[in-house]
Every structure is written in C-alpha cells, then in structure tokens.
Amino acid sequence: MSSYVFPPIPQPSVAIEGQSARFPVRRIFCVGRNYAEHAREMGHDPQAEPPFFFTKPADALVVHGASIAYPPATADLHHEAELVVAIGTGGAEIPETAALDHVFGYAAGNDLTRRDLQAAAKAARRPWDMAKGFDASAVIGAIRPGQAVPQGAIRCRVDGALRQSADLAEMIWPVPAIIAHLSRLVCLAPGDLIMTGTPAGVAAIQRGETCAVEIDGLVPATVTMV
C-alpha cells in the first residue's frame, strides 16, 4: 500500500440525479466562444475558428447550493451559464457519429471568470489560467444520466433577475462535434467534464448575490457569493 507525505485531497465528485452514488471528476475542459452572440460581445468573429479549449482543475468544483467566498485578486467576477457533458467512456479520435456513446449524462454549470484578469492576460498575450482555473470556479449541478443531448433553454439569473437566456440549439459547435474535436487533442477518460460554452449576457456577480444557471430538464447549478 502506498504512503504519502501528506494526505491526498478527497476525490472531487458531482451528485447524480436519483442516485446515491456520485460521479468522480477527473478533468474539467471548457469550450471558448461557442455561441455567436457571446463571441461578438467579447469582440470576436464567431465564424473564424474551430473550437478551442481551456481547463479548470477538478478541485475547482463547487456543488449546487453552495456558498463560496468572493475570489481574491478580482473586482469583476462574471457568471457564464453552460451545459456540462459528463464523459462515461473514454477514447481518442472519436468520430462524431459515435460521440454520444461516450456520454454518461449532462448537468448545468457556471464557469466563474475573473474577467479583469482575463482582459489583462489577453492584452499581454498571456495564458488565461488565473482568470479561469482559480479555486471554486466551476459550479456544477447534479448530473442527469442519459446520452441524448438536452434541448431547450439555458438561462442565468442573479437574485432572480434574468441575465442570460438562449437556446442550446444556438451552440456553434454541438456536443458531438465538441467531443470528437477534443478527443483528437487528448484521450478522453471516464470522469472528464466538458463545459460547452456560454451564451451572451455574461455580467458581474457581487458579494451577497445568488447566481442560478437553469437548463430545461436539468437540476439548476446555484451558488451564493459571500
């Protein structure tokens, strides 16, 4: 049996709707600029490039209903409502036609972003890691098992006020294309999560506010900033 110089961190995991077992999280991949209007609001051409990816550490995960501290080093924390794909079967070079066979289920998620740090990194042509991969930056609701891609609305509300509202069908790169493309860059594995991009309307969250991401048919992903 292995010994360690200090105790390993607990396995990050997400609740599964209707089950006591939990989904162990291995990695969190995120798709950038996957809704045309959001790409435009960030100053980019939505037709100019294939999907690109950034990551968050698994221990950045925040469960639905949690209260978390407003993160340090920012004065402009933004919400980003996203559909999350949970991978149940790994693989590389996955064809689009077989991509959904690798899905365990789906969840609502919130890609919290230190927008001021991201803007500074972009201006200096530096990585976004500290803008996206900071502690408690990935809010994930309970996973609903199933391979069929959810359909319908995706919304974000802050203290009940609607901030983001779109249809999942507006994604530039649909779920099968995202899985296929990502699997040509890395070998996907069970436990991987893919956050599939956010629609227009991203904006700041303040201390004391509650932010809820809602997707038709899925459990919300709600977090309160303290």
Side-chain angles (χ1 to χ4, degrees), residues 194-221:
I194 306 173
M195 304 185 80
T196 59
T198 195
V202 297
I205 314 171
Q206 307 298 333
R207 289 177 176 83
E209 292 183 330
T210 296
C211 183
V213 174
E214 305 165 351
I215 296 177
D216 287 352
L218 300 179
V219 175

Side-chain angles (χ1 to χ4, degrees), residues 17-83:
E17 187 178 0
Q19 298 185 24
S20 59
R22 298 179 66 84
F23 183 89
V25 176
R26 183 171 184 263
R27 297 175 292 188
I28 303 174
F29 297 99
C30 306
V31 183
R33 303 174 200 153
N34 200 28
Y35 288 78
E37 289 307 311
H38 174 62
R40 293 188 184 101
E41 79 177 345
M42 300 303 289
H44 300 280
D45 179 355
Q47 305 302 323
E49 56 192 354
F52 71 92
F53 301 89
F54 55 93
T55 61
K56 293 175 180 279
D59 63 359
L61 192 145
V62 177
V63 298
H64 163 67
S67 294
I68 61 172
Y70 192 91
T74 185
D76 196 19
L77 179 70
H78 279 207
H79 56 75
E80 295 194 5
E82 313 214 0
L83 173 68

Side-chain angles (χ1 to χ4, degrees), residues 179-198:
I179 294 171
H181 192 87
L182 181 57
S183 76
R184 294 195 289 270
L185 299 171
V186 298
C187 182
L188 292 173
D192 288 339
L193 297 178
I194 306 173
M195 304 185 80
T196 59
T198 195

Side-chain angles (χ1 to χ4, degrees), residues 147-160:
Q147 295 180 332
V149 181
Q151 298 181 358
I154 177 171
R155 296 173 293 270
C156 181
R157 302 180 193 274
V158 175
D159 283 353

